[in-house]
Amino acid sequence: MKLILFIGFSLVFTLKVAVAINGADLLPYLHNPEPQLQLKNRKSMDQRIRDHGYPAEKHKTITEDGYIITLFRIPYSNKLQNQDAYRPIVLLQHGLFSCSDAWILTGPENALPFILADNGFDVWFGNARGNTYSRNHTTISLKHPNFWRFSWHEIGYYDIPAMIDYAIATNGQNQKSIHYVGHSQGTTVNLVLLSSRTEYNAKMKTVHLFAPVAFMSNMNDKLVRTLAPYLGHTNVYSALFGSQEFVPHNDLFMLLAYNACGSESILLGLCTSISYMLEGEETNTNRTALPLLAETHPAGASTDQICHYMQEQQSGYFRRFDFGSSKNMKMYGQSTPPDYTVDQITAELHLWYSDNDDLAAVVDVEKLADLLPNREMHHVEDPTWAHGDFTMAMEAPTVINEPVIDIMLDYEQRHGNER
Ligand SMILES: *[C@@H]1O[C@H](CO)[C@@H](O)[C@H](O)[C@H]1NC(C)=O
Ligand SMILES: *[C@@H]1O[C@H](CO)[C@@H](O)[C@H](O)[C@H]1NC(C)=O
């Protein structure tokens, strides 16, 4: 399946790159703000949820800076008929290149959201600005480069709080706080929010970070390690690459990968496979769910999200976007970007991590944990457990979903009256 995805995503690009290498002219690869992502014939997530016999809703909310964000919701469970009962809110936030559909690929028997609904929760799904479902703005056109001037900082600072406040208001049960589950970038944005707008700590009951990504010096991913020396600094490459919609066949990205990795590793899918970043190793993957992954992904992102991660990989810091010293001076009043003050995070964080995760290395997760005042570590014992396994593994129901839901239910029992 990885191969099929790889061919789907990459064959065309490889051909393009072959041409590009001969031409060796970077100018044609300047910003192309035209949205190029194929979104036709994609079934909307609410329809997929209904197909599984669960009620589904689609909601929109507007962030402080004007992005129109789509949320999906499983408001209750048909099995429980609990629409009038108290249903604690849980918000699920997807990773990079992804969208809310990533949570439901393994279906009603196994995917976390359905089990949450059947345990009485009001289940909400966020979609970060720029992805399949969140491609609109009150004043800026999707085709304008300004639409794409954001990294995961803005997703954490604007999108996530807008989602939380909207879910709380719409739930209507006078809940003051929520449970949060994030995967990969969904963890980064939570850490951004809780360290930058500390009042949101009080809106968290329990927070579950699957494959937490903050510090990145030790990550093992070949693609990132290859490209970060180019794109993780303010230079001509990042200037050409930055602030546009990332499409998997981004020409400059492929050109760099091609030069750095060589054509052979590209053809073998060793160096540039986005599917690999989404799905990780295949050892534990539910293969039946892979066609659903291919139908719904990749789901759109800004190239600045990638640049920001590559900066972290290069610098070893978990900090704001590096615009170069003069613009940093203007933005932050200092020549280097300020750190995210994760030591200020008081919310109850649960870090779920594993040995075979190429994007969230154990050493880096532990470095983060050392700074967090209120966290609990959940190391996955299976040594083959990879980055994508948190949502895609056959064993996710027992290894991840059950213990996560137990922690939430336990919280509800202890604090039920405070809500
Ligand atoms: C694997 O995914 C398929 C497709 O969604 C689903 O029907 C099946 O129940 C899943 N099995 C497990 C163990 O995740
Ligand atoms: C984008 O949002 C505006 C409201 O700000 C709305 O008028 C327009 O129809 C939306 N476009 C799409 C494609 O949904």
Side-chain angles (χ1 to χ4, degrees):
M1 186 58 209
K2 192 184 281 178
L3 191 64
I4 295 170
L5 278 176
F6 170 69
I7 290 168
F9 292 167
S10 311
L11 199 62
V12 184
F13 335 141
T14 312
L15 293 174
K16 269 197 184 181
V17 166
V19 175
I21 294 290
N22 293 331
D25 183 359
L26 282 179
L27 279 181
Y29 305 106
L30 274 165
H31 294 192
N32 176 7
E34 282 293 317
Q36 306 168 56
L37 206 63
Q38 259 312 335
L39 298 178
K40 281 195 202 107
N41 305 322
R42 284 197 185 183
K43 197 193 270 183
S44 184
M45 185 190 189
D46 46 337
Q47 189 56 52
R48 288 178 194 275
I49 294 171
R50 264 179 237 118
D51 289 349
H52 288 311
Y54 285 75
E57 296 172 7
K58 182 176 186 173
H59 294 265
K60 291 200 185 288
T61 186
I62 301 178
T63 67
E64 273 170 52
D65 60 345
Y67 284 82
I68 302 170
I69 297 294
T70 298
L71 292 135
F72 291 100
R73 181 189 191 192
I74 307 177
Y76 61 90
S77 159
N78 278 327
K79 289 180 196 159
L80 301 178
Q81 287 298 313
N82 60 334
Q83 44 269 55
D84 298 322
Y86 168 72
R87 290 160 290 120
I89 299 166
V90 52
L91 174 66
L92 308 178
Q93 183 60 30
H94 63 80
L96 184 63
F97 307 130
S98 191
C99 60
S100 49
D101 294 85
W103 294 106
I104 59 165
L105 301 178
T106 56
E109 309 292 321
N110 299 289
L112 176 63
F114 300 110
I115 323 275
L116 279 166
D118 290 338
N119 274 278
F121 289 87
D122 179 7
V123 185
W124 289 80
F125 305 85
N127 280 290
R129 58 182 61 193
N131 92 354
T132 322
Y133 298 113
S134 297
R135 301 161 71 78
N136 198 4
H137 188 280
T138 49
T139 56
I140 308 172
S141 159
L142 180 65
K143 298 184 179 173
H144 195 284
N146 280 351
F147 183 95
W148 297 100
R149 278 183 215 291
F150 61 83
S151 79
W152 37 259
H153 174 80
E154 284 73 20
I155 296 170
Y157 195 87
Y158 296 113
D159 299 359
I160 306 298
M163 294 169 189
I164 293 170
D165 293 340
Y166 183 88
I168 287 177
T170 309
N171 164 278
Q173 294 181 318
N174 200 25
Q175 298 184 28
K176 308 261 182 305
S177 50
I178 66 157
H179 297 279
Y180 181 100
V181 184
H183 183 211
S184 192
Q185 183 188 261
T187 71
T188 316
V189 295
N190 181 277
L191 295 166
V192 167
L193 172 64
L194 296 184
S195 57
S196 310
R197 306 182 110 171
T198 46
E199 68 276 18
Y200 275 84
N201 283 279
K203 298 193 182 188
M204 298 290 166
K205 290 173 171 172
T206 67
V207 176
H208 301 269
L209 306 180
F210 296 171
V213 181
F215 298 104
M216 297 176 71
S217 336
N218 296 290
M219 61 121 65
N220 218 356
D221 183 75
K222 181 124 192 275
L223 177 59
V224 178
R225 283 200 163 274
T226 303
L227 296 183
Y230 298 93
L231 300 177
H233 301 272
T234 25
N235 57 25
V236 61
Y237 299 107
S238 54
L240 284 171
F241 181 70
S243 304
Q244 56 188 305
E245 174 168 23
F246 179 74
V247 285
H249 51 285
N250 178 291
D251 296 299
L252 178 62
F253 191 79
M254 290 303 296
L255 188 65
L256 290 172
Y258 187 95
N259 281 334
C261 309
S263 58
E264 207 156 288
S265 55
I266 287 198
L267 285 170
L268 291 171
L270 291 178
C271 193
T272 63
S273 167
I274 302 257
S275 60
Y276 175 81
M277 291 180 94
L278 292 166
E279 146 205 337
E281 303 276 336
E282 286 187 43
T283 325
N284 305 310
T285 307
N286 176 341
R287 283 155 192 266
T288 321
L290 283 175
L292 297 168
L293 180 72
E295 271 174 40
T296 51
H297 290 74
S302 165
T303 51
D304 285 349
Q305 289 164 250
I306 301 169
C307 288
H308 199 174
Y309 274 131
M310 299 214 171
Q311 291 175 2
E312 312 288 62
Q313 196 279 331
Q314 289 290 292
S315 72
Y317 291 101
F318 179 44
R319 62 185 186 183
R320 297 278 304 268
F321 195 89
D322 190 350
F323 295 97
S325 54
S326 62
K327 193 172 173 197
N328 287 344
M329 209 64 202
K330 265 185 231 141
M331 297 283 298
Y332 310 128
Q334 57 187 70
S335 61
T336 54
D339 289 323
Y340 290 109
T341 49
V342 291
D343 55 335
Q344 311 277 311
I345 299 178
T346 53
E348 178 181 321
L349 302 191
H350 294 264
L351 276 58
W352 301 81
Y353 64 113
S354 63
D355 292 334
N356 190 33
D357 188 332
D358 274 346
L359 292 161
V362 169
V363 198
D364 289 334
V365 175
E366 285 170 349
K367 179 175 174 183
L368 169 67
D370 284 345
L371 295 168
L372 296 171
N374 184 13
R375 48 69 176 169
E376 201 167 309
M377 304 299 276
H378 304 272
H379 179 251
V380 177
E381 274 175 32
D382 181 346
T384 66
W385 200 266
H387 196 74
D389 285 342
F390 290 90
T391 53
M392 291 293 286
M394 298 294 284
E395 300 77 16
T398 48
V399 175
I400 304 295
N401 301 351
E402 275 176 29
V404 165
I405 293 175
D406 281 349
I407 292 168
M408 292 181 185
L409 289 174
D410 181 59
Y411 184 99
E412 291 297 327
Q413 274 210 314
R414 284 184 287 123
H415 301 276
N417 295 330
E418 300 158 27
R419 283 175 189 182

